[in-house]
Amino acid sequence: MKVKFWGVRGSLPAPITPEQVQAKIVAAIERITPKDIESEDAKTRFIASLPPWIFGTVGGNTPCVEITTSKGAKFLLDCGSGLREYGVHGDQPEDKHYHIFMSHFHWDHIQGLPFFGPIYNPNAVIDFYSTFPAAERVLSEQNRCPYLPPNCAWEKVKHPFRFHLIRELEPFYVDGVKVTCRKMKHPGNSYAYSFEEDGKKIIYATDVELQASDHDRSIEYNHFFDNADVLILDSQYTGEEAIAKANWGHSIFCYAVDFANTWNAKKLYFFHHEPTYSDKKIYSILKAAQWYEDYSAKYDVELNIAIEGQEIEL
């Protein structure tokens, strides 16, 4: 399986601001020396030496993650504004067949769907999986006037969709991949997904406020999280914010590190980034998480930030 991030922010899109661009330019200029501009090679080396928060951006689109199976099937996890980016710039399946898995239907997870080109293609097929019986009604409410123009009305775009109602902790198979979901703590409920193929396991757990009980290995259904090769996990808040925003349904980055190690994840990707955070702030959280992990000698999970355009191959 391959994973690619198309949208990694939470709550609402957060495009990079002019002030943030200016801050990156100033930070780069402050680091430059005469030797760094002596030749084209020197310039290239200098650019490559810049911290990632300066050279590049985490991205500002809301959640959408692409999984490509070993057989080439396309799984799309959530329909945030990143879904449009995938539709425009991603590798499309030759058979125009898509599989969409929904964690829940909050606005930041569905707002990209009306701008996803394949819904207007009469030859496309979209298998749509969720635990919510009202899934089609919810989408039809979004795709109507006055929120969108008449050509986006649900009656005109619904034809590619085939809705599948799935049940918590009841595995099913799509293109040879074992898929299971589990309910997490989040206002209105949100579901984590596990994808298993060829001995590899990806867990997508966005919009979750981790609880002490989630770490309890004596609870059978918690073993849903066991031994993930890649764990994509909501890590939106710092500790200070989490106190102020208790019961908002999101997690502290250090809790995410604890959780990943409890369940023996190999790689943890911090996800659902706070929309008010700059790239510098998000990378500072990664650094703090690495210090936190180093403080506990028993922790050895690989820590990463989910970044738009980033690819992971299992």
Side-chain angles (χ1 to χ4, degrees), residues 3-21:
V3 179
K4 187 167 184 176
F5 295 108
W6 293 98
V8 298
R9 291 278 179 169
S11 304
L12 77 165
I16 191 168
T17 66
E19 292 79 10
Q20 290 169 352
V21 172

Side-chain angles (χ1 to χ4, degrees), residues 284-295:
S284 74
I285 287 174
L286 175 62
K287 177 58 69 176
Q290 290 167 338
W291 288 336
Y292 178 76
E293 183 176 53
D294 289 345
Y295 185 75

